[in-house]
C-alpha cells in the first residue's frame, strides 16, 4: 500500500526515452520491451520458487456433526412436509488464478515523468502494486493464487535463451513467464500492464483509457474473449466509481496490436506456438492495459493507494464473474 510516487528517485532525462512508445497500442513495453536486450550487470542469483498460496481458513472448516438428538417417538404427521437430512457436500477446491505483473527487474516498462522531466513512476512497480492487491483480494475471496513475480525482479533470472534464438531478449523473459504459468497449473491468468502514448517526443495528455487484450487463435478462444470482456467491463466500472471516466478502448483481439517490427503477431503470454512462441500458455487468459502512464491524470490514479485497491477489486470482480459463467453486458456478438 506504499505510495508509488518516487519523485527524485531514479531521475532520468526525458530525452532518454524518446521513442520508447510512439505508436498507439504499440505496447513496446507490454510483451516485447526493447530495453530488455541489455544484460544487467547486477542480476541476483535468485532461486525462483513462486508458490501457490491459499487462505488457510478457506479450506479447513470442519463439517458440523449431525444432530445427535433422535426423535424416536415422533408420530408421523401426514400434513407436514417431509424433512430430508442434507447430504454433506465436499468442500470445493478453490480455483487457482495466476497473476502476471508485467515487467520487473531491469525492465521498468513504460514510464511517467514529472514537470521537470524526471522519471517519477514506472510501469513495473505499478503493475506489481496492483498485482499484490489483487492477490490479497483473491485470497480473501477463497481463491488460490500464483504470481509470476511478487517482487521487483525478472522471472528469467538465470538468463536462459529460451526461444532459443541465440539472443537474450524480452521475449525470453515472457517465455519464462509462460513456462512458470504452465507449471503452476493455473486455470486462469491475468497479465497486468499499463499503456503509453507519446507524440512529438512528449507524452500526449489527450490520450488515455482502458484496454484488454486476448488471443482469438486458441482452442479456448471463446473463454479468452469472455474473460477479456468481463475484465474490461469491471475495470472500467471500478475506475468510474472513483470519479474518472476512462476512454473505453474495448476488449480486443491481440492481433490488432501494432508492434514495431512484428506487425500482426500475438502477445507471447497469450498466443499459440509460433516462430516467436516456443511453448504457449495453457490456460484462459487476458492482458489488461489498465490506464496510460503517459497521461498525468491516469498516473495519479495508478499511484493512489485507494484507487489501486479499487482497480484490484475490479479485476477480482471480473474473475468472480468469469468463474460464475457470466457474460459481460458490454460483449456483443461481433464485439472484439
Ligand atoms: Zn507493459
Amino acid at each position: 500500500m506504499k505510495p508509488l510516487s518516487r519523485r527524485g528517485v531514479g531521475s532520468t532525462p526525458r530525452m532518454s526515452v524518446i521513442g520508447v512508445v510512439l505508436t498507439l497500442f504499440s505496447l513496446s513495453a507490454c510483451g516485447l520491451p526493447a530495453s530488455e536486450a541489455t544484460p544487467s550487470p547486477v542480476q541476483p542469483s535468485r532461486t525462483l520458487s513462486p508458490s501457490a498460496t491459499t487462505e488457510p481458513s478457506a479450506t479447513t472448516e470442519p463439517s458440523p456433526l449431525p444432530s445427535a438428538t433422535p426423535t424416536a417417538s415422533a408420530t408421523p404427521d401426514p400434513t407436514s412436509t417431509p424433512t430430508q437430512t442434507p447430504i454433506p457436500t465436499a468442500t470445493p477446491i478453490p480455483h487457482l488464478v495466476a497473476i502476471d505483473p508485467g515487467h520487473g527487474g531491469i525492465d521498468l516498462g513504460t514510464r511517467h515523468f514529472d514537470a521537470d522531466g524526471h522519471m517519477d513512476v514506472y510501469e513495473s512497480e505499478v503493475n506489481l502494486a496492483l498485482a499484490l492487491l489483487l492477490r490479497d483480494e483473491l485470497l480473501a475471496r477463497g481463491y488460490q493464487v500464483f504470481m509470476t513475480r511478487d517482487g521487483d525482479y525478472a522471472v528469467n533470472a538465470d538468463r536462459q535463451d529460451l526461444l532459443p534464438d541465440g539472443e537474450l531478449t524480452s521475449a525470453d523473459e515472457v517465455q519464462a513467464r509462460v513456462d512458470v504459468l504452465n507449471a503452476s497449473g493455473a486455470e486462469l491468468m491475468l497479465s497486468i500492464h499499463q499503456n503509453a502514448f507519446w507524440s512529438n517526443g512528449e507524452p500526449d495528455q489527450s490520450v488515455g483509457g482502458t484496454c484488454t487484450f486476448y488471443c482469438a487463435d486458441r482452442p479456448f478462444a471463446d473463454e479468452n474473449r469472455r474473460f477479456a470482456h468481463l475484465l474490461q467491463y469491471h475495470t472500467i466500472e471500478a475506475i468510474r466509481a472513483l470519479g474518472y471516466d476512462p476512454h473505453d478502448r474495448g476488449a480486443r483481439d491481440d492481433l490488432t496490436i501494432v508492434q514495431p517490427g512484428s506487425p500482426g503477431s500475438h502477445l507471447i503470454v497469450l498466443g499459440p506456438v509460433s516462430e516467436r512462441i516456443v511453448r504457449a500458455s495453457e490456460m484462459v487468459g487476458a492482458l489488461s492495459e489498465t490506464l496510460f502512464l503517459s497521461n498525468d491524470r491516469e498516473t495519479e490514479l495508478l499511484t493512489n493507494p485507494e484507487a489501486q485497491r479499487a482497480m484490484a477489486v475490479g479485476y477480482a470482480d471480473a474473475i468472480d464473474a468469469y468463474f460464475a459463467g457470466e457474460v459481460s453486458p458490454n460483449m456483443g456478438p461481433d464485439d472484439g
Side-chain angles (χ1 to χ4, degrees):
M1 295 291 284
K2 70 181 174 63
L4 286 168
S5 182
R6 293 186 179 176
R7 297 185 190 281
V9 175
S11 298
T12 302
R14 179 177 296 181
M15 286 300 291
S16 69
V17 297
I18 287 178
V20 167
V21 180
L22 291 176
T23 310
L24 188 59
F25 299 128
S26 72
L27 303 178
S28 69
C30 305
L32 265 180
S35 60
E36 281 189 347
T38 308
S40 166
V42 195
Q43 189 72 5
S45 58
R46 175 186 298 274
T47 303
L48 180 69
S49 55
S51 55
T53 51
T54 187
E55 188 96 319
S57 62
T59 56
T60 55
E61 193 69 22
S63 303
L65 291 173
S67 166
T69 313
T71 51
S73 60
T75 305
D77 178 356
T79 64
S80 71
T81 305
T83 57
Q84 289 190 327
T85 306
I87 300 169
T89 53
T91 305
I93 299 170
H95 292 294
L96 173 55
V97 176
I99 310 169
D100 174 41
H103 315 281
I106 61 169
D107 173 15
L108 305 183
T110 194
R111 306 121 204 243
H112 179 269
F113 296 84
D114 67 17
D116 298 325
H118 297 140
M119 181 179 74
D120 57 355
V121 183
Y122 50 92
E123 185 190 350
S124 62
E125 63 175 350
V126 170
N127 296 339
L128 179 62
L130 290 169
L132 292 172
L133 290 167
L134 174 59
R135 177 194 64 185
D136 294 346
E137 182 66 22
L138 290 177
L139 290 174
R141 297 188 190 195
Y143 290 93
Q144 299 180 85
V145 177
F146 173 83
M147 300 188 71
T148 57
R149 68 177 178 99
D150 58 6
D152 185 16
Y153 53 85
V155 175
N156 188 21
D158 298 335
R159 309 185 58 71
Q160 298 180 68
D161 181 18
L162 293 168
L163 286 188
D165 57 3
E167 315 179 80
L168 194 63
T169 68
S170 59
D172 296 300
E173 169 66 17
V174 184
Q175 183 67 64
R177 295 182 187 223
V178 169
D179 291 346
V180 297
L181 285 166
N182 288 344
S184 77
E187 299 160 73
L188 185 69
M189 186 279 296
L190 167 56
S191 189
I192 299 174
H193 286 256
Q194 310 307 322
N195 220 329
F197 182 70
W198 288 51
S199 52
N200 299 320
E202 295 288 332
D204 189 334
Q205 300 301 323
S206 71
V207 175
T210 302
C211 191
T212 307
F213 291 101
Y214 67 96
C215 182
D217 191 17
R218 307 299 308 276
F220 42 86
D222 287 349
E223 291 296 78
N224 286 345
R225 179 169 170 267
R226 185 170 69 82
F227 177 47
H229 277 271
L230 287 166
L231 199 55
Q232 179 73 5
Y233 175 77
H234 284 283
T235 303
I236 287 181
E237 287 291 293
I239 295 170
R240 282 183 181 149
L242 296 166
Y244 178 74
D245 190 12
H247 179 188
D248 183 352
R249 297 181 172 278
R252 301 163 54 133
D253 183 329
D254 67 348
L255 283 180
T256 64
I257 302 170
V258 178
Q259 297 188 79
S262 54
S265 51
H266 291 292
L267 290 169
I268 293 173
V269 76
L270 300 177
V273 170
S274 70
E275 286 180 355
R276 298 170 57 245
I277 307 173
V278 178
R279 292 170 296 278
S281 54
E282 295 167 353
M283 73 292 296
V284 172
L287 185 149
S288 171
E289 293 283 354
T290 307
L291 288 171
F292 278 66
L293 272 177
S294 50
N295 182 300
D296 291 344
R297 176 71 183 101
E298 296 193 356
T299 300
E300 278 178 31
L301 291 171
L302 288 170
T303 52
N304 177 293
E306 190 182 334
Q308 289 176 339
R309 163 125 183 93
M311 290 179 230
V313 167
Y315 301 146
D317 288 346
I319 290 166
D320 272 351
Y322 171 80
F323 284 114
E326 294 177 19
V327 173
S328 168
N330 282 2
M331 186 170 86
D334 300 319
D335 242 355

